[in-house]
Amino acid sequence: MKTLPRAILLVATALAITSPLAPSVQASAEKAAPRTVLDVRDLDQGEPPAIAWTERTAGRTVIHGPGGTDTPVPNNVVALAPMGSGYVIQTALNRPVTVRWVGADGTPGRREWRTGDGLAVSPLGNVVAFAGRRGGKVWTIDQEGDRVFRFNPVPVTGTSHAVAVAGENCKEGEGEPGTGCSIAVNGPHRAFSTSSHGIVDRVPRLRQVTTGRGRWIGGITSLSDMGSCSAMLHSWRVKWRTCDNQLSDISPDNRHVIGTPAYADGFGPGVLDVLATADGSVAHTFTYSRRGHSATYFDEVWEDAEHVLVVTYQEGEWAVVRLGVDGSMEYAVAPRRGSVDRPSPFQLQTR
């Protein structure tokens, strides 16, 4: 699963939706968490990313697979997720947002779809979902990348955005009893779910879903010009709330969730909190330097249960940095010179 794109959150903030928060379940920050300044100059070089990532060099873009494979893809790729022997990719950048599957050699599949921003991926990566530009349409690709299912549409006008997938097999009647899947989808004003059982419903208590993994789902409960408030749900019940963070990717072991700033503004955020999924307490904070030497980050994705990968920009250089829950930092991909006027040369897979 990957979270609601930050650009969409900025648009949503302008809607200024408000709703009350229950103080009894608000996440507490009574004890200060350990902090690390997000200064990514002169870090040690670590291992390459253990997940897929793209690199653009000399006008050519390739996906580097964790097994050492390279797959050529268009330069306007904005999201990707491994699927079968290839990848589901989403392209945009001054063109209509489009989703297609490509093989390991970059050969495109038979079909493509006009979609809203974002891909949603099941916890084990067996299903990738995406939503249409109009009519609330939702699709999944699963198995070997050649099986596509269409779901009952969600009741929204305008563009939809798939955010989270629960379940690893969207074909009813296959596998063990209880198989099937559901997809959380954001419309312009409300979040809905649509399932392989044919059921479409509102996502309770959340205006917009920003993350989900299994029975955990998190999202925005209120928005205003001053920021946002969010809640984490387990089996549709609120476990905790916060007005300090928006909730991003959940770790593979479900123990932690990334917290980005509650107010999305500027070129990129300078603070990243690692939160306990169970109660919202802060395990570690990566923060900006008051002296000015610190990075902004993008594409925050869990690499494994103990490490987050982020694409960073600092003082004219882009890099992929590995952040440890223990506060450690190292390069996963060494810095490259670049400009804020051009897209990042790196893109991390959606999980």
Side-chain angles (χ1 to χ4, degrees):
M1 187 300 308
K2 182 63 177 173
T3 62
L4 188 68
R6 192 168 287 121
I8 301 172
L9 292 177
L10 287 169
V11 173
T13 302
L15 299 175
I17 305 170
T18 59
S19 68
L21 286 177
S24 61
V25 290
Q26 179 122 10
S28 173
E30 295 178 359
K31 183 179 180 181
R35 303 167 71 87
T36 299
V37 173
L38 194 61
D39 184 349
V40 301
R41 299 172 300 169
D42 303 320
L43 299 178
D44 291 336
Q45 181 65 53
E47 293 295 320
I51 61 175
W53 57 288
T54 66
E55 182 178 23
R56 188 181 68 254
T57 56
R60 178 175 179 265
T61 299
V62 298
I63 299 175
H64 299 295
T69 60
D70 288 342
T71 297
V73 291
N75 285 333
N76 59 341
V77 167
V78 294
L80 68 142
M83 175 49 57
S85 59
Y87 299 90
V88 178
I89 63 170
Q90 187 171 70
T91 55
L93 299 179
N94 301 320
R95 297 181 182 180
V97 181
T98 304
V99 165
R100 64 172 63 90
W101 181 84
V102 297
D105 62 355
T107 302
R110 299 185 300 272
R111 298 178 60 188
E112 65 178 30
W113 299 264
R114 296 285 181 91
T115 70
D117 293 328
L119 300 174
V121 182
S122 63
L124 300 181
N126 293 320
V127 178
V128 177
F130 46 94
R133 291 182 62 192
R134 59 179 64 89
K137 298 176 182 177
V138 180
W139 298 268
T140 62
I141 297 178
D142 72 358
Q143 304 291 31
E144 297 301 320
D146 59 358
R147 191 166 72 169
V148 179
F149 294 117
R150 184 170 176 173
F151 290 71
N152 285 344
V154 296
V156 302
T157 57
T159 303
S160 304
H161 310 275
V163 185
V165 179
E168 301 293 336
N169 189 341
C170 295
K171 175 65 174 176
E172 294 292 327
E174 286 189 352
E176 297 297 327
T179 58
C181 71
S182 64
I183 300 97
V185 179
N186 286 330
H189 306 290
R190 295 288 186 273
F192 296 87
S193 66
T194 181
S195 76
S196 54
H197 302 294
I199 299 171
V200 177
D201 204 354
R202 282 273 305 271
V203 173
R205 301 174 179 85
L206 301 178
R207 298 285 188 176
Q208 299 276 272
V209 174
T210 58
T211 190
R213 185 177 177 86
R215 296 187 178 184
W216 290 98
I217 189 167
I220 296 170
T221 57
S222 67
L223 290 161
S224 73
D225 291 337
M226 301 302 294
S228 64
C229 293
S230 297
M232 179 63 75
L233 282 61
H234 186 264
S235 299
W236 303 118
R237 294 185 177 181
V238 174
K239 300 296 290 185
W240 50 273
R241 302 177 189 261
T242 179
C243 294
D244 295 327
N245 298 105
Q246 291 180 10
L247 306 178
S248 187
D249 206 23
I250 298 173
S251 64
D253 62 359
N254 287 343
R255 293 184 58 195
H256 295 103
V257 58
I258 298 170
T260 63
Y263 184 78
D265 191 19
F267 174 62
V271 178
L272 182 148
D273 290 322
V274 179
L275 310 174
T277 310
D279 61 10
S281 58
V282 182
H284 202 96
T285 293
F286 295 88
T287 187
Y288 62 90
S289 169
R290 297 185 183 277
R291 298 180 179 178
H293 291 295
S294 55
T296 56
Y297 67 89
F298 309 86
D299 284 357
E300 61 281 358
V301 181
W302 287 94
E303 181 182 34
D304 55 38
E306 299 297 328
H307 299 92
V308 176
L309 292 177
V310 291
V311 176
T312 64
Y313 184 84
Q314 182 174 351
E315 298 177 4
E317 291 186 329
W318 293 94
V320 180
V321 175
R322 179 177 290 112
L323 308 178
V325 174
D326 60 359
S328 61
M329 298 192 301
E330 66 179 11
Y331 294 131
V333 180
R336 276 180 46 185
R337 297 296 300 176
S339 168
V340 296
D341 298 324
R342 297 179 62 83
S344 164
F346 308 122
Q347 178 87 35
L348 302 174
Q349 77 167 71
T350 301
R351 297 195 71 178

